[in-house]
Amino acid sequence: MPSYTAPVNDIQFVLHALLKASEQDIPGYDELEADFTAAVLEEAGKIAANVIGPLNAVGDKEGCVLENGVVRTPTGFKEAFEQMKEGGWTALDCDPEYGGQGMPVLLGTAVGELFSGANQAFTMYQGLTHGAYSAIHAHGTDEQKAKWLPKMVSCEWTGTMNLTEPHCGTDLGLMRTKAVPQEDGSYRISGQKIFISAGDHDMSENVVHLVLAKIPGGPEGIKGVSLFIVPKFRVDDAGTIGPRNGVSVGKLEEKMGIHGNSTCVMNFDEAEGYLLGTEHKGMRAMFTMMNEARLGVAMQGMAQAEAAYQNAVIYAKDRLQGRAVTGAENPDGPADPLIVHPDIRRNLMDQKSFVEGARAFMLWGANMLDKSHRSGDAKAEGLISLLTPVLKGFLTDKGLEMTIQAQQVYGGHGYIEEWGMSQFVRDARITQIYEGANGVQALDLVGRKLATDGGKHVMAFFELVKSFIKENGEDEALKADFLEPLKQASKDLQAAGMFFMQNGMKNPNAALSGSYDFMHLFGHVCLGLVWAQMAKAANEALASGEGDASFYETKLATGRYYMARQLPATSMHLARIQSGADTVMALDAEAF
Ligand SMILES: Cc1cc2nc3c(=O)[nH]c(=O)nc-3n(C[C@H](O)[C@H](O)[C@H](O)COP(=O)(O)OP(=O)(O)OC[C@H]3O[C@@H](n4cnc5c(N)ncnc54)[C@H](O)[C@@H]3O)c2cc1C
């Protein structure tokens, strides 16, 4: 079975050498000293490796079961969830007013990677609760917050997000679930939601569903959607659990991966619900937490890639096949380990350079969220809003690709369930789909985010890259290996942006035919930027003579690989974008 080891040193490098977290002037960041974050990550790492990691395969095999209307989670999940609650892990970055520990999203994301890497399906129960917590925290009245949040912070009550219906996923304007106002100010919610993650289970006393629904007589389409709190069990004003609400599980979905997470069809039959935020402004309420939720899914993608990579390395060092082309490296054995072969090296380097770059990009994203939420930094808010579809789309696409490459290292054994590599692939696959399918992320990026505020945020991104290259232009250790490739990739990105500006208005198909390539092009430039920044940090650490020199040398070599072997993909993406819509839209629908 696969193992999991928390990559604490790599996370510490990003938090302290790259982001210099404790030196940043953001409320709460002064607590993020290296000793403190190391202690938190070590502890979380033990739980990831010893408690929830071993349940990953159990959850995959057993799945969830619907019994007498209640979902039963796989063996061991309940006990492990109790341990998470008791350790306060569910409350790490929640508001202290409601029992949280008030840590920044940066630390929450770093810890989240460990739990998600060890067991994505399990960690989703808490992740969904956190999403619902954030929505109530941002849009609830004081009474609603006092009533629902403390128990959600502790995960005594868990949360869900109910958007999708059988006939509407991306296009939520088609929604049919109804919310009829009552005299007492509550609403009666009726309708069916599908694919609801953590929709029901046996690990909490109550499930607090956040449900999008339409109030009859309201505006048509997406403008008529409102958000409601709809608990599984009603709760009185004193916070005591009362009778069952009109909420039931229609069925559990059978699915490709994340078997340990219950994906439910939820039926709402005149269920009592309470408006969250303003009538007809449900989508706005959802959007305020979307950046955080999408960063969470990006994290899942990279975390699965990290976990799969760790196991691919172990296997590549252990499995003996063939001889090194340059002469036997294990002359006393019957063959050399796989890791001697250049093609296996290429495969492992692809994975390693992706996960380390992706982690830096992801934690930089979390840092921007903290800057915008805790310091009211409008520039950071604009930038993270622009980069959120890139984080979600690129890290999950590449995350899946890397789990497949890790599986490939195992040859046929990767395809056989016994080795557990196929679970990484199956679990990672959903990250491309939920929280907005990746094609829709690309659409959001090109159709909306690029032009937001007159293109100010994309210009700010280009400025960031340009100034980094300029400030470090004389650094010979960075110039050829890092700055030149970054400059070229950034030029490709600008040329793509220019193509959209020149062609997008007169032919929208031309822009949208290139949107997916643009998302990937942008993702590569982001990883190129963080790799150049990490190289600078590694050089500085080496020059200081402190720390583990081999760690920094390895970091530099891994970065050079990314710049030389991955970043040139930008020119291919640009060529595709510049070919426009002609070949994409050439056929009539009947020709397919
Ligand atoms: C395991 C699992 C868990 C989930 N958990 C939840 C949950 O907890 N809560 C919840 O509400 N939902 C959940 N979902 C639903 C998920 O978010 C949706 O499946 C997803 O948003 C896509 O919606 P859809 O399946 O209806 O696809 P559709 O909207 O029908 O889209 C189909 C394809 O068309 C593309 N597409 C759609 N519109 C456009 C367009 N305008 N331009 C270009 N391409 C387009 C999409 O990218 C996609 O590839 C979950 C789904 C699964 C499978």
Side-chain angles (χ1 to χ4, degrees):
M1 271 302 120
S3 62
Y4 182 77
T5 308
V8 174
N9 289 344
D10 277 318
I11 298 177
Q12 284 284 89
F13 175 78
V14 175
L15 293 181
H16 303 292
L18 181 70
L19 297 174
K20 300 194 188 330
S22 61
E23 294 168 29
Q24 289 194 28
D25 186 19
I26 300 174
Y29 269 51
D30 52 343
E31 287 188 53
L32 301 182
E33 294 286 352
D35 287 352
F36 172 71
T37 58
V40 173
L41 293 168
E42 293 288 355
E43 270 317 299
K46 280 185 208 158
I47 295 186
N50 305 327
V51 179
I52 63 175
L55 297 176
N56 199 33
V58 177
D60 188 49
K61 230 181 201 131
E62 286 186 20
C64 294
V65 185
L66 182 60
E67 272 177 358
N68 302 324
V70 180
V71 174
R72 191 164 48 74
T73 52
T75 309
F77 269 42
K78 211 169 169 179
E79 294 75 12
F81 204 62
E82 282 305 312
Q83 236 173 299
M84 296 284 283
K85 289 192 234 176
E86 278 163 22
W89 294 107
T90 61
L92 201 64
D93 59 1
C94 296
D95 188 343
E97 199 177 334
Y98 304 104
Q101 296 175 37
M103 287 293 140
V105 171
L106 180 64
L107 189 62
T109 307
V111 167
E113 183 207 316
L114 308 185
F115 294 151
S116 203
N119 192 332
Q120 181 176 324
F122 175 86
T123 305
M124 283 172 66
Y125 291 97
Q126 176 196 341
L128 268 300
T129 309
H130 196 284
Y133 153 88
S134 296
I136 298 176
H137 192 260
H139 301 284
T141 61
D142 288 346
E143 290 74 27
Q144 285 176 327
K145 290 195 235 183
K147 182 169 181 174
W148 303 106
L149 292 186
K151 299 265 187 188
M152 293 176 75
V153 167
S154 64
C155 269
E156 283 163 89
W157 301 348
T158 56
T160 69
M161 308 298 294
N162 287 249
L163 290 76
T164 310
E165 298 182 9
H167 61 286
C168 84
T170 303
D171 190 354
L172 290 168
L174 302 172
M175 186 170 297
R176 288 187 194 139
T177 299
K178 263 191 330 196
V180 180
Q182 305 296 300
E183 278 183 4
D184 64 358
S186 70
Y187 292 76
R188 292 283 168 198
I189 316 289
S190 300
Q192 188 180 65
K193 297 286 179 179
I194 62 165
F195 302 163
I196 303 308
S197 299
D200 193 71
H201 56 87
D202 53 3
M203 301 194 295
S204 67
E205 295 165 1
N206 204 355
V207 182
V208 182
H209 300 284
L210 292 197
V211 183
L212 283 178
K214 282 185 171 173
I215 300 169
E220 287 294 306
I222 200 74
K223 293 200 169 112
V225 169
S226 308
L227 186 59
F228 299 88
I229 299 173
V230 188
K232 174 177 171 181
F233 291 102
R234 290 183 206 175
V235 175
D236 68 19
D237 289 342
T240 310
I241 288 189
R244 185 82 197 230
N245 204 356
V247 182
S248 59
V249 184
K251 87 174 191 5
L252 264 182
E253 302 291 0
E254 299 249 341
K255 55 194 190 292
M256 175 175 173
I258 54 164
H259 294 155
N261 195 269
S262 54
T263 308
C264 302
V265 171
M266 298 302 308
N267 293 326
F268 297 90
D269 301 307
E270 304 227 315
E272 191 168 294
Y274 321 102
L275 183 69
L276 182 59
T278 315
E279 273 190 4
H280 314 311
K281 299 278 188 272
M283 286 316 292
R284 190 184 291 175
M286 278 283 172
F287 272 121
T288 56
M289 32 162 288
M290 221 150 237
N291 288 345
E292 198 180 311
R294 290 183 172 169
L295 180 72
V297 177
M299 179 258 279
Q300 292 179 333
M302 76 76 47
Q304 287 307 297
E306 162 72 37
Y309 162 70
Q310 288 184 12
N311 288 280
V313 170
I314 295 169
Y315 194 80
K317 289 182 178 173
D318 191 51
R319 173 81 167 168
L320 304 180
Q321 289 293 297
R323 287 289 182 198
V325 280
T326 48
E329 293 201 14
N330 177 33
D332 298 334
D336 286 338
L338 288 174
I339 199 160
V340 304
H341 303 306
D343 189 58
I344 292 285
R345 287 299 184 98
R346 169 204 57 82
N347 184 336
L348 292 174
M349 287 302 286
D350 278 353
Q351 296 175 55
K352 184 171 169 59
S353 64
F354 166 73
V355 287
E356 292 180 22
R359 175 177 298 116
F361 183 22
M362 168 187 86
L363 292 177
W364 175 38
N367 180 215
M368 283 187 269
L369 280 179
D370 282 328
K371 269 189 192 159
S372 89
H373 294 161
R374 293 185 169 227
S375 304
D377 183 333
K379 203 172 161 197
E381 189 181 347
L383 199 53
I384 188 58
S385 178
L386 170 76
L387 294 180
T388 293
V390 183
L391 276 157
K392 199 282 184 181
F394 185 67
L395 296 199
T396 61
D397 277 359
K398 285 281 166 190
L400 174 78
E401 197 180 312
M402 294 306 134
T403 60
I404 293 172
Q405 289 200 194
Q407 186 185 35
Q408 189 74 7
V409 171
Y410 280 67
H413 300 274
Y415 197 71
I416 301 300
E417 290 294 338
E418 184 188 343
W419 288 85
M421 295 307 285
S422 109
Q423 187 186 352
F424 293 125
V425 177
R426 290 184 286 102
D427 287 359
R429 179 69 177 90
I430 186 59
T431 63
Q432 297 179 301
I433 298 169
Y434 58 22
E435 206 43 58
N438 284 357
V440 175
Q441 300 297 331
L443 181 68
D444 179 41
L445 176 65
V446 171
R448 238 166 48 90
K449 297 287 174 65
L450 271 188
T452 302
D453 297 331
K456 186 166 110 186
H457 309 301
V458 73
M459 295 316 289
F461 177 82
F462 285 132
E463 191 48 45
L464 205 65
V465 177
K466 204 167 115 191
S467 57
F468 180 82
I469 293 172
K470 197 167 165 204
E471 278 161 25
N472 298 286
E474 301 307 312
D475 188 340
E476 291 302 327
L478 292 181
K479 217 174 188 170
D481 292 344
F482 291 93
L483 301 183
E484 288 302 330
L486 177 60
K487 201 173 182 176
Q488 183 52 51
S490 172
K491 270 188 192 161
D492 289 344
L493 187 63
Q494 291 189 42
M498 189 58 76
F499 176 83
F500 293 148
M501 269 171 58
Q502 288 168 348
N503 297 281
M505 288 301 263
K506 52 180 190 266
N507 181 8
N509 280 345
L512 297 185
S513 297
S515 59
Y516 212 91
D517 280 288
F518 188 75
M519 183 173 75
H520 275 247
L521 203 173
F522 212 148
H524 277 298
V525 176
C526 289
L527 259 61
L529 174 64
V530 293
W531 263 122
Q533 292 169 332
M534 286 198 285
K536 180 180 155 114
N539 280 330
E540 283 169 358
L542 280 170
S544 77
E546 283 173 24
D548 177 0
S550 73
F551 175 87
Y552 301 120
E553 297 286 7
T554 303
K555 198 58 79 185
L556 284 163
T558 310
R560 281 188 202 105
Y561 180 91
Y562 193 86
M563 304 311 271
R565 304 280 305 219
Q566 293 292 334
L567 200 56
T570 57
S571 65
M572 175 199 67
H573 290 301
L574 175 61
R576 286 185 185 162
I577 290 165
Q578 288 177 332
S579 76
D582 290 351
T583 56
V584 174
M585 303 300 283
L587 299 181
D588 289 334
E590 293 73 41
F592 286 89

